[in-house]
Amino acid sequence: MKSVSLHEVAELVGGVIAGFDGDAKQLIITGVNTLSSADASQISFLANKRYSDAVAQTDAAAILVSDAAADPDGCSVIRVRDPYLAFAKLQRLFHPELPASGIRHDSAVIHPEARLAIDVEVGANAVIGEQVTIGEGSRIGAGCIIGDRVSIGKNCLLHAKAVVAHDCVLGNEVYLQSGAVVGSDGFGYAWSGQQHLKIPQVGRVILEDDVEIGANTCIDRGAIEDTVIERGVKLDNQIQIAHNVRVGAFTVMASQVGISGSTTIGKGCQFGGQAGTAGHLNIGDGVKLAAKSGVISDLEAGGTYAGVPAMPHRMWLKVSALMMKLPELWKAQRNR
Amino acid sequence: MKSVSLHEVAELVGGVIAGFDGDAKQLIITGVNTLSSADASQISFLANKRYSDAVAQTDAAAILVSDAAADPDGCSVIRVRDPYLAFAKLQRLFHPELPASGIRHDSAVIHPEARLAIDVEVGANAVIGEQVTIGEGSRIGAGCIIGDRVSIGKNCLLHAKAVVAHDCVLGNEVYLQSGAVVGSDGFGYAWSGQQHLKIPQVGRVILEDDVEIGANTCIDRGAIEDTVIERGVKLDNQIQIAHNVRVGAFTVMASQVGISGSTTIGKGCQFGGQAGTAGHLNIGDGVKLAAKSGVISDLEAGGTYAGVPAMPHRMWLKVSALMMKLPELWKAQRNR
Amino acid sequence: MKSVSLHEVAELVGGVIAGFDGDAKQLIITGVNTLSSADASQISFLANKRYSDAVAQTDAAAILVSDAAADPDGCSVIRVRDPYLAFAKLQRLFHPELPASGIRHDSAVIHPEARLAIDVEVGANAVIGEQVTIGEGSRIGAGCIIGDRVSIGKNCLLHAKAVVAHDCVLGNEVYLQSGAVVGSDGFGYAWSGQQHLKIPQVGRVILEDDVEIGANTCIDRGAIEDTVIERGVKLDNQIQIAHNVRVGAFTVMASQVGISGSTTIGKGCQFGGQAGTAGHLNIGDGVKLAAKSGVISDLEAGGTYAGVPAMPHRMWLKVSALMMKLPELWKAQRNR
């Protein structure tokens, strides 16, 4: 197990130790834990005020707190600008990603015309198609299926049973959770008079660098052009991205969001769980969308929206509060 | 095919036969069927009044009815306290679970350091990792992937293509439907100023005894501590359980529910389909939540809630009825 | 690459060329593309007015437009009754389905008692159970799992990692996208007083001819009788169809819809994304349901509905508009 001194921890997170009497270079830290579970060799953190009461009881060696926090009361703290970010950095220190081992399991089916960098790791029963390329440092989990002509960059991690269909492109440091499907057919049909005629979906899916796709999330391939998930986007589990969608860089979506076809979403957006948008819309940069919202028209950049149909969040707060007063309103009306 | 007498059926379900003239020990029963499809050797049941009209037409040997039901009119009945439970017991009699065969398919990849009880059954192309333990009577379906150090109890059934990621723990009699993902990474990032920095998710998922997880449902592993699904919980298909969640014993959730991170759900709750909760909430024991509800605050034990934001169900009934009267209200207001 | 003359294109789609000066039998067409990306050897189309502005800039050889469209202004068009259908026909011409190759990958596990037509194609690591039958022209993707006694018709296409559980039946020309689960257990339990007793789900799933099932969509098997998806139905990704449901012919559902148990849905319905219905309902033929609707009662044929609870769409338009005016209504009331 990795271990570092409290002093080194403070340096790593750019923090200032307070309320600590001993020698910070001598105190060995072996990990991070919650306030209630941390022991005297572990760091804890307070990133959500909800948990402030647990501070007094913690056994942690020190607590990562905000610069603005009150003086520590009988416990050691490390003051940082962003305790949550500091926590993230420490977790990454104590739990680094494993390097790719270069081992390909005997049961994996790798097409002779696939080109894998020397250290690429391939799990049991994975299938890698014709003319696939995979960059160095990448790990392909057990049972993954990589279709023909797929391109996967460096240091990617595909968890067990991810699927990447033919011709799709993954940049560097792309993570797919289990059951993610990249490159399913878009949902396109034309009514012939007798049946829904399937329209071949001939676009690809492009996942740029540093994208993560959640478990059982589906990204449909484009009808003609590509579906594009720009760099740094993080999609939680069970999200549906329809064909021809573009999701702007660093946008984050919580679980079970659904984006309909040909909608363009800006950079740095944040969508709550179970939100959805209609097709062919433009959602501006930095839009925040509350959970369960339903968007039926373009949304301006920088706004916060909620409700079905989605409206400015401030308005939704009023409207939803007044919905609760409808009985009162109705009664007043009837009594007149 | 199993067969028992009508008399034995009545004993098994603790019921009383009425309206039957023959010798109940002589009438052979071979199964259970719907009112409209049952033949003279089958039992049927009336558990939903919606289907009362079908009673007169049925050919069933006898109908499981409630103690409180009216006297049978020309057909035989078995009076029981709970017809649906009696139906369940009979279906289990006529369709018992197959015992584990101990057969491991040649194509399955089982790590030499995995320890499987002698009768454990492993399907084709399944993958079982290092130091996995699997208890007696358990069956692992074709194409399942079991990560390193997973512990699976006795008499579990994993349908084809279920995934259990490293270090997760399944108790006894746990059932996973196809495509279920247990132990995907929780959705945790900290913004570094340049990118969303992934926070290693180092907790596990614990599924206690008698838990069933639906098809393509995802249970994320905890960020630090564990995500826990207590005993007897039943989750339908396509449900999302985020990191650090605890779901109390015997709670039941219908399809497409989403539970955000660090929320605690009480025992014996019932959630309708497509409902969702925000994170870091406490939902009390026995809470009933209507389909499509959106919960944004703690909910008291024993209550029934509906709507977005979730409110007491009784209030929601009023509010949603009055929403329909908004045009009338608006008109009255304008005419003043 | 396939290529045909502009004249042949017009004949294929039953259209009339206008605004074209050259010899339509000499101009070679090699494909279809969007207005903005098409080159001089490609056809484009205008099926959505939203994109009308792009017409002036296109380099396409000709644009598929509606009979009713204005005269072309400096560009060639093909007038057709339905430009989107014409586009579909051309895409199918230029991107025909590959024929089944008859190749079964060495790593596929095919039970000796399965009967596959001579040209059936089976991908790497697929598993095909006992007594399965698969008709001519069908292709089974890598990693698919086909349970015992499943029947699959002619010219079906199962993408990588689709699951069809035991005893289910697929007609001809059925398409399953990756991760689709056909035949998971329905969600049926009876409370015993101590636990939720699982009710064996002994029905099947029947997918009739020309059905397509989206990625990670789940169709539960019936409790006693079958779950039936009638011919020509198209289901998008991540849809949940519970046990005993019947979906009428040619009905189309967008992503993330949930249909509860024992509900019957008519023919030719159109459901928007994230809509849901309660169980045991009857939804008439031709019903249109807006995205995110929640249906709690039977719906008459031919209607268009929206909202939670679902109401006639026209009413929902009024109600949702007046919700936004609640602050105004409230203020007026208080000032009286």
Side-chain angles (χ1 to χ4, degrees), chain A residues 48 50-51, chain B residues 226-230 240-248 253 257-266 269 271 276-284 289 295-299:
Chain A
N48 185 331
R50 219 180 279 257
Y51 302 108
Chain B
D226 300 326
T227 303
V228 180
I229 311 294
E230 294 182 1
Q240 153 70 359
I241 305 288
H243 55 186
N244 316 325
V245 165
R246 174 175 282 266
V247 179
M253 296 186 191
V257 163
I259 307 297
S260 299
S262 302
T263 282
T264 296
I265 292 167
C269 295
F271 284 16
T277 76
H280 298 275
L281 300 181
N282 281 293
I283 311 294
L289 195 57
V295 182
I296 59 173
S297 56
D298 292 353
L299 296 181

Side-chain angles (χ1 to χ4, degrees), chain B residues 37 51 161 212 237 292 333, chain C residues 143 220 225 274 280 336:
Chain B
S37 300
Y51 302 108
K161 288 203 170 311
E212 181 153 8
N237 299 345
K292 283 191 172 285
Q333 161 64 21
Chain C
D220 282 348
E225 298 188 313
Q274 300 180 335
H280 298 275
R336 196 160 302 115

